[in-house]
Structures are given as C-alpha cells and as structure tokens.
Amino acid sequence: MANPPLWQSLRVRLLAMMVVMILGVAIIGIWLENRADMAALQRQAQDEAALVASLVHAGMDDTRDLSAEFAALAKQPLLSRLLIVEQGRVVESSGPFNGQLLADLNSKVWLPAVALDKEPHSYASDSQSLFVFPFADDGRYLLLWFDTQPSADTQFANRIRLLGLALVVVIVAGIAFYVVSQRLLNDPLNILVAVLQRRIKGERQARVPALGTHELGQLGHWLNQTMDSEDAALEALRLSNLEGEDQKARFLRIFKVMPDLVTVTVLDDGTLVDVNENWVKATGWPKQEAIGKTATQLGLWLDPADREKLLGQIRDNLLHAARIQFQSRWGDKIEAEASGCVFEEQGKRYLLLSLRDISDRLRKERDLHLLAQVVEVSLDGVMITDASQSILAVNSAFTAITGFSADDVVGHTPRVLSSGYQERQFYQRMWQQIHIQGMWQGEIWNKRKSGEIYPQWLSIRSVKDDDGQVLHYVAVFSDITDRKAAEARIAFLAYHDPLTGLPNRTWLVDKCENAISQARQQQHMLALVYLDLDRFKSVNDSLGHDIGDALLNEVVKRIKPLCMADELLSRQGGDEFLILLPNIENCRRVEMLVERILAVMSEPFSVGGHRLWVSTSIGVSVFPEDGDNAAQLLRKADTALYHAKDSGRSTFSFFARDMDKNLTERLQMEAALKEAIGTEQLQLYYQPQVLISTGQVVGVEALMRWQSPELGSVSPGRFIPLAEETGLIMPLGAWCLEEACRQLAQWRQLGFNGLMAVNISVRQILRADFFDLLEEVLAQSAIPADRLELELTESLMMDNVEASLEVVQRLKGLDVSLAIDDFGTGYSSLSYLKRFAVDCLKIDQSFIRGLREDNQQARSLIRAIVQMAHNLELNVVAEGVETPEQLAILTAEEVDVAQGYYLGKPMPASEVEVILRSQGVTLRVNEKG
C-alpha cells in the first residue's frame, strides 16, 4: 500500500489541529491581556491626573491667579483644558471659551452634570477625567480636564509585545506537543505497523511489546490477543487436518477388516458364493459348509418369504439400510441392516450384501427411549447443552420450574436463567471444578421467566467421548424454595413459639444471660416476670385446642402492648409466659406492669363465639437480689408464681426467701402424693347427710383423707389444690369414684338406698375418657346411676358454661344425680340453673356459719335460696351445720337436708355402718326429699 500524502497523515492533522488550538488560545490571551494592560495604563493616567490637579489647586495664590510655577504645571501633557468659572460663566480658560456660559459647553467638551458647591469633585470617563475645585468663598471654581486614554503608540507597542510572547508560547507548545505525540502516538503507531508488517511477511512469533495503559497500549494488547487467537485457530485447523488424514487411514483399515457380515449370493436362487469371517462367527456356519447352499437351506431366514421382500427393496441395483431379521445356527435371533448392490460377472448376476448387526443398537435405542421418557416425566428439571453451553434440550419439569419453554431457551446459553445473585467468581470456581472433576453440585439462585428469583439445587456433569473431549453438559436441578422456606421456618421455630410467634424459652434465656451481664457491668436491676393462666386447661379440655390456641393469641394481644420496647415477652409453653425487663431502676416499673396485666386479664375474652374468663397468676424475681443467672431467676420466679396461685390466683408475688421452703415442701408433697395413690395412705371418710324432717340419714358425702408416713395427716385443703395443678387429680379422682361406688354397693346390701355424693373436678368431667370411666364404675358396682350424686363447684361450672352444659346433658343421659356445690359463692343466674338441670343445691357453709336468730340478713339469704331452689324443683342441702340453733332455723326455712359436725363428722365406713344399722337395715329411702 502506497504511503498517503503528508497532509492526509493523522500525525500531521493532529499537530495542525493542536497548533490551531494553541494559536486560538494565544490570540484570546493577547486580547484579554491587552485589555488588562490598557485598563492599567488608564488607571495610572487617572492617578497622575488627580495628582497634577491637586498640585495646580494647591498652587493658587491669594489673588486667585495661577503663579508662574503652577502655570507651567498646567502646561503638562496630561492637562487638556483649564477653565475658571464664576457665576456659571467662563472667566478664564486655556481655550476659546472665555465669556461663554458653562451650560453651553456640553456640545464642545465632555462636561458631565457637575456640582458647583464648596467641595471639590472629580469625574471620569473612558478617556478623560474632570476635576472641580472651588476658590475661597467668592463663587469661583477651577475646572481641569485631563486625557487618560493611552496613546496609539503605547497601545501598538503593547500589542507587539504580547504578540511576540504568544508566538513564543505557540512555538514552545508545538514543540512540546510534537515531542509528546512522538512518544505517545508516533512511536507506538510505528511499532504497531512494524509488527503487522512482520506478521504479513509470515513471522508468526511477532508480537506488540507493552506500550503502556493508554488506548494504543490497549490496542496493542488486543492486537496480540487477536494474533494469539489467529495462531490458535490455525493450529487447531492444522490439528484438524491431521486428524482428518488419520481418520481417512483408519477408515481404510476398518474397511478391510469391516465387522459387518458380508455375503455374495447368486441373485436368482440365493446360493452362497462367499462369506467373510464375521459372517461365520455370527451365524455359526463354517465357510466350507455354507458355500453352495442357500440361506433357506441353512435355516437362517426366520421366514423364507423374507428374502423375496428384501429383493423387492432393491432400486437401481442398490440396496440401502434394509431392516431384516435372521437367526444363527443355534437359533439366536439377529437384527441387521442390509446394504449392498447387484453386480454381474461373466453373464451371471450376483448380490453383494453387507449385513450390520444392529441388535445392540436397537437395544440401546430402546433403552435411550426409555431413559428419555424417564427424563421427561422426572420432577427434576433437566437441561442438556453442547460443549459451548448452547442449550439443546430441556424436559417438562424444566418448563414447570422456570416458566421457560423449550422454544424460549434452545439455542441460547444458560445465562438466560441467571439471576445476577452470584458474583462472577462463583461461576469461575464452578466451571473450574467441572473442568477438573467433571461435575459440580450445589445451591444456586436463578431467575424464572416471570423475573422471580428462586433457589435451586443444581448438579452439572460433563459428558465426554472416549478421547476425553467434552460433548455435552447435563444439568439436573430442583426448586428448593419450599425446602429453604422450611429451613427458615425450622430456624425460626428454634427460637420462637409456632403458635404465637413470640420468642421461646431458649431465646429468652439467652437474652436474659446477656441482660444479666450488661446489668452487672452497668450496675442496674432487671426483673423476670412469670405468668400462668388460671383455669386455662379447663378451656382446652372443654372447648378444644383450637379455642385454647385462639385464646392464647388473644392473651398475647392484650399483654404485648403493655411491654416497653426493650422488654421481651416470650411463651414458656402451655399457658405460661415470661417477660424480661432488662433495665429497671426499682421495682415500681414491675409493679405497674403486672397490675396492668391483671387489669386487662380481668376482662372477659370473646373467642370462637364463647365468652371466657381467664385470669392470670404472676411471679416475679429480680436481679441481683434473687439470683445471678437466668436459671436461678427462672426458678425463683416460678416459686413466686406458685405462691401467687396459693394466695388465691389472679394476683402477683415477688420472690421471698421463705418461698423456697414452701416450694420444697410443695415438691415433697407432690412426690408423696404420687406414691400415695393406690395405697392405704389414702382413705375415704363419709359425712352423713340427714333429712331434716325425719332425722334419718339419706345420703353420705365421700371425703378424702391422707395419712402420709413422712408428712403425717395432710389436710384436703392442701393436697387437693396441689392435685388439681399437677394433674394428679385425674388418678386421684378416679380412685375416689371407684372406692365410693364400691362402698355404696356394700351398704346397699345392708338395705341403704341413700345417695353417695362425690366431689368431681371440672377438669375430670371435661376429659374425653371420664364418661368411659363413669360407665365402667357404675357397671362394676352395679348401683343405680341415680344413687350416685356428683357435686360440681358453682364457680368452675360458670367459668366454662357451654362446655359444662354439654357435660351436664351427657351426665343426665346416664341418669346420674347432680348437685351444685358451694352454691352462693359464684355468680349463677336462674337461666343457667334451669339449663344445667341439676337435682340439688348445696348452700355453702359460709352462709350457715353466721346463721343466728339475731342475724336476719343471713336468714333472709337462706330463705331466698330455698324458695328459688324449690321453685326450680331442686332439693336444698345445707353444709356446715354445727349448732342446734342453726338446725332449728334451717328447719323453719324448710331446708331439705343438713350436713355438718352437729349431725355427724366425717368418719370411716365402719362407723357409718353403725349409724345405718341403728336406723334399721331394712330402711328404704326412695327419694332424697
């Protein structure tokens, strides 16, 4: 290629452009600098004019004429005009203005609107300065004009100076640009051209040396990469040509030792003329035995008509890939593709057949088809790419998971699935492992067609040929969104309660330990509040766990807003909650919190159409007084909680040291009670119930007594509440019911037909298996169901009205008698009493205790209860009768049955039998009243 003209050279163009730019900048600089110089000269002239004017003014003598010395100053070159004005008229001037009015000079000289007063003034324009000086006080003024515009010679000289300076700058900048461009542009370009010329001449090793990090350096780097790629491509082409030549030679060798079964037969009758060794091996017929016979004679055709069908497929003396079946000498079936040609030799036509055994291929095709079906119905997504990662095929699960159909992705790379979630280094490590180990598996985030980012478990394997070259990549993946969600849920549940979403005990203990450490360092207090819902188990047992769970969430909704931001509410489990107050100055904050909790818990809950009353008992422990770790604070708060429950529930207690002793005694009593159940430590005592009108015993109430070897005689008031709380009331109540019914059965044999009253806990009757137990006990004891009276506490029945109504209906279905115990201590209404359909009301002994002749209020209450009960056709039993006066009043008020120490204390069964016998064993009482 000829060199371009000099003016078309890139370097010349750049240099010219740079010179023009520098020259333009220099001209602009000259203009700006000239303006600055002229302005400076003008200011200098103005300053000189001001000085001369002041000197002239100072040189005036008393006669108001200029002295000869200052008259000479007035002739200075800067002073262009001088006037003396009196009464607005020129009286003396350096020009032809004498006698003219000052106002008429505007058109002849530059005259601004001057102020003629007692003060000197100065005025300036672009080319002149005017100074006005007053004489003494006679009204005369001196006006001096000065030319401040630089002369033309001065301006010209300044421009010549600046132009010379600009020329020097242009020459220096041009030389600098030439040197820099020569180093940064011309030299690298010359190197690039030289390397390319060497490459053109065939010097394949020529490479561009490092030229730096500028654009030409990058161009050289890219040129090297291009030459490397070109060399690599040429080398690959050379290797490919060598491989093609090797394949050609290999194909020639294969042809000579072709594994196909080759035969030459007479076309007309099929007589075998020649066969190769592979035919002999496949059919089992030696060559010498086969030659001269037909395939039919050798029994090779499964059907003799198959040969005629094969001949019918010959077109233009050629046969191509015809599918045939034949068998070996031993009966093995062989499937083959037949190719060949008809040729003529010495006037006779022959058929050359090449039979390729395709039995293995067909079997593999069937296996591949089966495998393809398996892949297609697989729940895991499958993607197959070629060695360049171009997608070849996907299965249905791929579409179901990603949203991309086969048409969307075939021909593209898997980058269409990339979410951008992983960094580039992630993929580099992944493909590095695939290239080294042939496989990779792990978790990756990809993108669906909808744009949704989701996690998947991905396995990639490379499929290689016998030479180890990668043919395909197979990716199998599954959507693990649900698994990740489950893992997150498991992680959440490890530290949270699944029902309420509150932190669980594990989290609270961890937070408590951290808070204790911080409180110890900062020397402040913290508190742990332990809450337990009262009578919650009755709600669960009666209304079901769904209602119980909903109630727990309602409780959380009430308590959580009461906690401050740094206070942690957690669920301990069941109906127990914990609150950690990590930073308190004193216990007043705790008291305020628990009082507010008790207040909100006193309001009824509306859950699932049920109106429920659930209170809470609260125990509090404080750091550092009650412990220095979370375990101690939890135990102390639990102890305080039990103390609150023992104090009547719906209250709170701070831990005190004496509570540890009470807790120890409580645990000891619980362990002893577990051992006592089913032993002779527990006995039933029976208190007679006397019909007031006759004085006869018409019933007994079974009361438990416990004589412990370790604890001595334990009051029912102590161990019955403990049994309620710990769940021991279930086996204890079952034993009591069985024993009472067994005893009643014995007394009935003596002729006693009265009632056996047994106290039943609501927790017992709300259990699903209670009715099975009751039916079994009634069947075993063979007593009439109406002779068994179950006593239910009024307050407990009213706590769970709907559930209690359902239970009462089932009990009445068994014909069991029912009594409301401790009547008057709850809040029963007449409508509920009628719906409960009970048989008897037992007036609580607290009403009887204050019953005297002089206590009309107590008597009026008894009268009201009796009248109400009788109107509802209910019997009335008065408990706690201890004096004859009380019995007399109850008789007067028509109470039906009385019970108390005055009539008979609780006693063993043997003493009851004495009383019954004293009434006569033939006594029969058909009705309680």
Side-chain angles (χ1 to χ4, degrees):
M1 178 183 292
N3 292 328
L6 181 63
W7 62 272
Q8 292 183 352
S9 171
L10 175 61
R11 286 170 287 185
V12 173
R13 288 185 181 184
L14 289 176
L15 181 60
M17 185 183 302
M18 188 63 188
V19 170
V20 171
M21 290 176 61
I22 294 174
L23 186 58
V25 172
I27 292 173
I28 295 173
I30 290 171
W31 179 75
L32 294 175
E33 181 63 23
N34 183 64
R35 287 194 59 183
D37 290 347
M38 293 301 102
L41 290 173
Q42 187 175 7
R43 286 194 298 272
Q44 182 179 357
Q46 290 173 348
D47 293 341
E48 292 177 359
L51 177 61
V52 171
S54 62
L55 292 174
V56 170
H57 177 259
M60 295 178 188
D61 57 15
D62 293 338
T63 61
R64 299 176 177 85
D65 293 325
L66 294 175
S67 65
E69 181 179 355
F70 289 98
L73 289 174
K75 296 179 181 180
Q76 292 296 320
L78 290 176
L79 181 62
S80 62
R81 191 172 290 107
L82 182 151
L83 296 178
I84 296 177
V85 178
E86 183 177 5
Q87 300 300 323
R89 185 178 295 277
V90 179
V91 296
E92 185 176 354
S93 70
S94 60
F97 304 115
N98 291 340
Q100 298 184 24
L101 292 175
L102 183 63
D104 295 336
L105 299 181
N106 284 331
S107 61
K108 301 175 182 178
V109 297
W110 173 70
L111 183 64
V114 299
L116 299 177
D117 52 27
K118 296 180 180 181
E119 299 296 328
H121 297 279
S122 62
Y123 305 90
S125 67
D126 291 340
S127 60
Q128 296 184 59
S129 294
L130 172 62
F131 296 90
V132 180
F133 298 101
F135 283 94
D137 292 319
D138 56 1
R140 291 204 302 167
Y141 297 89
L142 176 63
L143 281 72
L144 302 175
W145 277 265
F146 293 87
D147 289 329
T148 58
Q149 179 72 29
S151 65
D153 293 339
T154 302
Q155 294 185 31
F156 178 76
N158 188 66
R159 290 190 183 101
I160 294 298
R161 179 182 61 84
L162 293 177
L163 184 61
L165 179 62
L167 184 60
V168 172
V169 171
V170 170
I171 293 173
V172 172
I175 294 173
F177 177 76
Y178 177 80
V179 173
V180 172
S181 63
Q182 185 70 23
R183 180 176 180 84
L184 297 180
L185 181 64
N186 295 346
D187 291 346
L189 284 175
N190 290 334
I191 293 174
L192 291 174
V193 170
V195 170
L196 289 175
Q197 289 175 346
R198 290 166 60 194
R199 290 283 296 187
I200 293 172
K201 294 177 180 179
E203 189 176 342
R204 311 306 303 176
Q205 293 78 18
R207 291 293 185 273
V208 179
L211 299 178
T213 59
H214 47 74
E215 288 79 355
L216 291 178
Q218 294 178 356
L219 178 61
H221 175 69
W222 294 335
L223 184 59
N224 285 339
Q225 290 183 336
T226 302
M227 289 186 291
D228 291 341
S229 300
E230 180 186 2
D231 290 346
L234 291 174
E235 179 64 17
L237 180 62
R238 185 183 68 81
L239 294 176
S240 177
N241 291 334
L242 291 177
E243 184 178 358
E245 293 176 0
D246 293 341
Q247 290 179 349
K248 182 177 180 180
R250 186 163 57 249
F251 288 153
L252 291 175
R253 291 193 299 271
I254 291 173
F255 179 77
K256 294 179 180 179
V257 292
M258 190 164 56
D260 292 349
L261 287 60
V262 181
T263 65
V264 178
T265 61
V266 177
L267 181 63
D268 293 336
D269 58 10
T271 301
L272 289 168
V273 177
D274 199 2
V275 296
N276 69 349
E277 289 298 320
N278 286 327
W279 185 93
V280 172
K281 294 178 181 178
T283 61
W285 287 99
K287 184 175 181 178
Q288 57 274 20
E289 295 184 26
I291 298 301
K293 297 180 181 178
T294 65
T296 302
Q297 293 173 337
L298 296 176
L300 299 179
W301 293 110
L302 296 176
D303 184 353
D306 289 344
R307 184 175 185 274
E308 298 301 325
K309 296 177 181 178
L310 177 65
L311 296 178
Q313 299 181 49
I314 297 175
R315 298 291 184 271
D316 297 328
N317 293 326
L318 294 177
L319 179 66
H320 177 69
R323 186 73 59 86
I324 65 171
Q325 292 183 349
F326 61 96
Q327 62 185 1
S328 69
R329 183 175 186 177
W330 305 283
D332 296 331
K333 183 179 177 182
I334 300 174
E335 294 182 278
E337 282 183 349
S339 298
C341 62
V342 176
F343 66 93
E344 185 173 345
E345 185 177 340
Q346 296 179 358
K348 197 171 185 178
R349 302 178 70 196
Y350 297 92
L351 175 62
L352 172 64
L353 275 183
S354 175
L355 305 175
R356 177 163 297 176
D357 188 349
I358 61 172
S359 300
D360 290 341
R361 192 188 78 185
L362 292 176
R363 183 170 57 256
K364 290 179 181 179
E365 288 179 355
R366 288 189 291 268
D367 292 343
L368 287 175
H369 180 72
L370 177 60
L371 180 59
Q373 294 297 317
V374 172
V375 170
E376 182 62 24
V377 301
S378 172
L379 297 179
D380 290 337
V382 179
M383 175 177 63
I384 302 173
T385 74
D386 59 16
S388 62
Q389 301 180 33
S390 178
I391 299 175
L392 302 177
V394 296
N395 69 342
S396 298
F398 176 94
T399 300
I401 294 174
T402 67
F404 289 99
S405 66
D407 294 338
D408 293 333
V409 296
V410 169
H412 298 276
T413 67
R415 292 188 183 91
V416 299
L417 307 175
S418 177
S419 65
Y421 189 83
Q422 285 82 208
E423 296 180 351
R424 183 178 181 181
Q425 292 78 1
F426 172 86
Y427 292 103
Q428 289 176 345
R429 292 191 298 270
M430 180 182 76
W431 284 107
Q432 183 179 12
Q433 180 176 336
I434 294 173
H435 293 152
I436 296 175
Q437 301 180 8
M439 62 85 64
W440 178 90
Q441 67 176 358
E443 182 180 312
I444 191 171
W445 289 79
N446 272 338
K447 179 176 66 177
R448 305 187 202 273
K449 187 177 182 179
S450 63
E452 176 191 356
I453 307 299
Y454 71 101
Q456 62 176 216
W457 185 259
L458 173 65
S459 297
I460 302 177
R461 287 185 177 273
S462 59
V463 179
K464 300 179 181 180
D465 58 17
D466 295 338
D467 297 330
Q469 296 295 319
V470 175
L471 301 177
H472 302 284
Y473 293 104
V474 178
V476 180
F477 62 90
S478 59
D479 185 349
I480 59 172
T481 302
D482 294 339
R483 192 184 81 184
K484 296 288 287 186
E487 291 174 353
R489 179 66 175 167
I490 292 172
F492 177 83
L493 293 179
Y495 294 99
H496 290 81
D497 170 46
L499 174 62
T500 63
L502 293 176
N504 59 13
R505 177 189 177 98
T506 302
W507 192 349
L508 180 127
V509 169
D510 182 60
K511 294 294 183 183
C512 186
E513 291 291 359
N514 293 336
I516 289 173
S517 176
Q518 188 173 1
R520 185 180 292 112
Q521 293 175 2
Q522 300 179 1
Q523 296 183 349
H524 60 72
M525 301 168 61
L526 68 82
L528 197 61
V529 180
Y530 205 136
L531 297 87
D532 181 83
L533 304 184
D534 302 324
R535 295 187 295 274
F536 173 76
K537 184 169 177 57
S538 299
V539 176
N540 251 354
D541 293 341
S542 59
L543 301 179
H545 290 282
D546 291 342
I547 297 297
D549 292 346
L551 176 59
L552 288 175
N553 281 311
E554 292 299 319
V555 169
V556 172
K557 290 180 182 179
R558 290 192 183 182
I559 296 178
K560 194 169 184 179
L562 304 180
C563 300
M564 299 179 67
D566 63 338
E567 296 171 356
L568 179 63
L569 172 64
S570 73
R571 185 183 178 201
Q572 172 81 347
D575 58 351
E576 297 178 342
F577 296 88
L578 291 166
I579 303 177
L580 173 65
L581 289 76
N583 186 0
I584 59 174
E585 295 181 359
N586 51 55
C587 293
R588 181 55 189 155
R589 165 58 192 160
V590 185
E591 293 173 355
M592 291 174 58
L593 175 62
V594 297
E595 287 171 356
R596 294 174 65 187
I597 291 174
L598 292 175
V600 299
M601 291 297 294
S602 64
E603 299 295 327
F605 290 85
S606 179
V607 179
H610 301 278
R611 193 171 175 83
L612 305 173
W613 281 266
V614 178
S615 60
T616 183
S617 299
I618 302 174
V620 181
S621 61
V622 179
F623 170 86
E625 288 83 356
D626 300 331
D628 59 359
N629 58 57
Q632 291 180 359
L633 292 180
L634 279 171
R635 184 176 65 81
K636 301 293 179 63
D638 190 26
T639 301
L641 171 64
Y642 276 108
H643 184 269
K645 284 184 173 292
D646 290 341
S647 300
R649 303 176 187 269
S650 191
T651 185
F652 70 92
S653 293
F654 281 84
F655 175 79
R657 294 186 182 277
D658 58 351
M659 292 182 184
D660 266 340
K661 180 180 178 182
N662 296 337
L663 179 61
T664 302
E665 293 176 354
R666 181 187 183 89
L667 294 175
Q668 183 180 4
M669 183 185 297
E670 180 181 351
L673 183 58
K674 289 180 181 179
E675 296 180 359
I677 297 176
T679 69
E680 294 181 355
Q681 295 181 36
L682 291 172
Q683 294 183 0
L684 285 184
Y685 275 44
Y686 304 91
Q687 187 170 30
Q689 296 176 335
V690 177
L691 186 64
I692 294 179
S693 60
T694 64
Q696 293 180 331
V697 176
V698 293
V700 294
E701 180 179 3
L703 302 170
M704 269 189 271
R705 294 294 183 266
W706 179 21
Q707 185 66 35
S708 171
E710 298 87 7
L711 306 177
S713 179
V714 183
S715 168
R718 294 178 62 196
F719 72 82
I720 293 298
L722 176 64
E724 288 272 6
E725 294 175 7
T726 60
L728 293 176
I729 194 65
M730 304 305 175
L732 196 61
W735 169 82
C736 177
L737 184 62
E738 293 174 357
E739 181 63 20
C741 290
R742 184 193 64 78
Q743 186 61 60
L744 179 60
Q746 290 184 3
W747 288 340
R748 286 182 60 81
Q749 294 177 2
L750 299 176
F752 178 61
N753 197 33
L755 291 174
M756 173 63 74
V758 180
N759 289 282
I760 297 295
S761 166
V762 172
R763 291 183 62 182
Q764 285 180 267
I765 63 172
L766 292 180
R767 284 179 61 94
D769 58 353
F770 174 76
F771 290 93
D772 295 335
L773 171 66
L774 180 58
E775 291 176 352
E776 181 181 354
V777 170
L778 290 174
Q780 290 179 353
S781 60
I783 62 174
D786 62 351
R787 295 296 88 193
L788 175 63
E789 182 178 74
L790 301 181
E791 295 186 359
L792 304 175
T793 304
E794 176 192 16
S795 59
L796 293 178
M797 291 182 67
M798 296 306 297
D799 282 345
N800 301 279
V801 174
E802 299 299 328
S804 299
L805 284 172
E806 182 180 352
V807 169
V808 166
Q809 291 173 1
R810 292 188 64 182
L811 290 174
K812 297 304 293 184
L814 296 176
D815 202 23
V816 174
S817 297
L818 297 177
I820 295 183
D821 197 12
D822 300 334
F823 185 78
T825 60
Y827 39 86
S828 300
S829 67
L830 293 178
S831 60
Y832 280 139
L833 286 176
K834 191 164 186 65
R835 290 177 66 189
F836 281 143
V838 297
D839 301 288
C840 175
L841 297 182
K842 296 191 71 174
I843 302 175
D844 187 69
Q845 58 184 348
S846 61
F847 293 94
I848 307 302
R849 191 176 300 116
L851 192 60
R852 298 186 304 274
E853 286 293 345
D854 59 351
N855 191 342
Q856 291 301 316
Q857 183 179 11
R859 186 164 184 169
S860 297
L861 287 174
I862 297 298
R863 184 182 304 120
I865 294 174
V866 171
Q867 290 177 356
M868 177 193 67
H870 286 170
N871 288 336
L872 294 174
E873 299 181 354
L874 304 178
N875 290 334
V876 180
V877 178
E879 293 184 302
V881 179
E882 297 181 353
T883 66
E885 182 181 11
Q886 293 171 347
L887 181 60
I889 295 174
L890 293 175
T891 302
E893 298 299 338
E894 299 182 352
V895 174
D896 301 306
V897 178
Q899 175 183 345
Y901 272 67
Y902 176 69
L903 301 172
K905 64 180 181 179
M907 60 190 72
S910 58
E911 296 183 16
V912 175
E913 289 184 11
V914 173
I915 296 176
L916 295 179
R917 290 181 186 278
S918 67
Q919 294 185 165
V921 295
T922 59
L923 176 64
R924 295 291 185 268
V925 180
N926 296 323
E927 294 184 2
K928 189 169 183 176

